[in-house]
Amino acid sequence: QTVVTQEPSLTVSPGETVTLTCASGTGAVTSAYYPNWFQQKPGQAPRALIYSTTKKHSWTPARFSGSLLGGKAALTLSGVQPEDEAEYYCLLYYGGADWVFGGGTKLTVL
Amino acid sequence: EVQLVESGGGLVQPGGSLRLSCAASGFTFNGYSMQWVRQAPGKGLEYVSAIDSTGSATYYANSVKDRFTVSRDNSKSTLFLQMGSLRTDDMAVYFCARVRGWSPASCAADCYLDYWGQGALVTVSS
């Protein structure tokens, strides 16, 4: 079973910029893994934010952006807002029907 | 408006069975692949199963293979997950999600999950 690794937790102050990363146990993450990012708040379903590494859904706030950084998929929040406090998950596609979620990053806004 | 509504969750004894449903509306259901994803209490998301738009191709995570069966009724815009031989580690909230750009064994230019249901809680306990 492939392991996808995210930072367990990050803390940021309002207005700052923070980058979350998503690493694959098989090596460098590329666009061929179609990285997806999701936000989940307590008691809610996940909400899609980013797909295919950099693309935003119509509902994704402009302050969220996706990229590849140092062999990992990355989610950057520019100008963090208090309502961004949540758990963030990445999802990588390994071919066939092999999809693997990262363990999640708990983002705290203090 | 796209909506996915799960139902059928509940309490079941170890070794028992349960069937979840996911009623879809607001889009052409038979044009999309679908997935089931679960989340154990206090844990992260885990891919469970996928099915293509016609229902002819189904896939499972190793953790549920040979115990769970995914199916769909396109005439009723409904996705199902039949769960058998349930174990305590199957206890989770089960979400259905719509898949874009994926067909059996490959992705198109984009490949992603966009809409999710609110989830159905499955409790496995004696």
Side-chain angles (χ1 to χ4, degrees):
Chain A
Q1 174 68 27
T2 304
V3 176
V4 176
T5 302
Q6 300 181 241
E7 297 86 0
S9 64
L10 292 170
T11 300
V12 63
S13 298
E16 291 186 341
T17 294
V18 65
T19 297
L20 289 62
T21 67
C22 174
S24 171
T26 61
V29 176
T30 68
S31 59
Y33 289 81
Y34 300 89
N36 283 222
W37 289 94
F38 304 92
Q39 178 192 65
Q40 187 181 34
K41 295 182 178 180
Q44 296 184 14
R47 181 176 76 137
L49 291 175
I50 299 288
Y51 65 98
S52 295
T53 308
T54 62
K55 297 182 180 181
K56 300 180 186 183
H57 294 278
S58 59
W59 54 80
T60 304
R63 62 184 179 276
F64 290 86
S65 62
S67 65
L68 294 176
L69 195 63
K72 301 177 184 180
L75 176 70
T76 299
L77 287 71
S78 304
V80 172
Q81 303 296 308
E83 61 266 28
D84 298 332
E85 182 164 294
E87 192 88 22
Y88 291 84
Y89 293 93
C90 65
L91 173 64
L92 301 180
Y93 177 66
Y94 287 86
D98 194 4
W99 302 77
V100 183
F101 285 94
T105 296
K106 181 177 175 59
L107 182 66
T108 301
V109 181
L110 283 178
Chain B
E1 179 193 7
V2 172
Q3 283 199 318
L4 298 170
V5 180
E6 299 94 338
S7 61
L11 174 63
V12 61
Q13 292 186 337
S17 299
L18 205 61
R19 188 176 85 154
L20 302 181
S21 299
C22 169
S25 61
F27 65 101
T28 305
F29 183 68
N30 62 16
Y32 293 86
S33 299
M34 300 291 293
Q35 272 196 22
W36 286 99
V37 176
R38 69 183 180 183
Q39 186 170 38
K43 303 296 185 182
L45 301 172
E46 179 189 14
Y47 159 76
V48 172
S49 180
I51 186 169
D52 76 329
S53 60
T54 66
S56 61
T58 58
Y59 303 87
Y60 303 93
N62 288 336
S63 57
V64 306
K65 200 171 294 184
D66 300 325
R67 299 188 300 121
F68 289 13
T69 302
V70 63
S71 62
R72 62 193 296 160
D73 183 341
N74 283 345
S75 69
K76 297 182 178 178
S77 297
T78 304
L79 174 72
F80 301 101
L81 185 67
Q82 179 68 48
M83 303 182 292
S85 302
L86 282 162
R87 312 186 301 222
T88 55
D89 61 357
D90 293 318
M91 186 160 63
V93 175
Y94 285 74
F95 298 99
C96 60
R98 190 176 78 168
V99 187
R100 301 291 301 272
W102 176 82
S103 59
S106 68
C107 275
D110 296 311
C111 209
Y112 57 99
L113 279 61
D114 56 2
Y115 290 94
W116 295 62
Q118 86 289 347
L121 176 62
V122 174
T123 302
V124 184
S125 175
S126 54

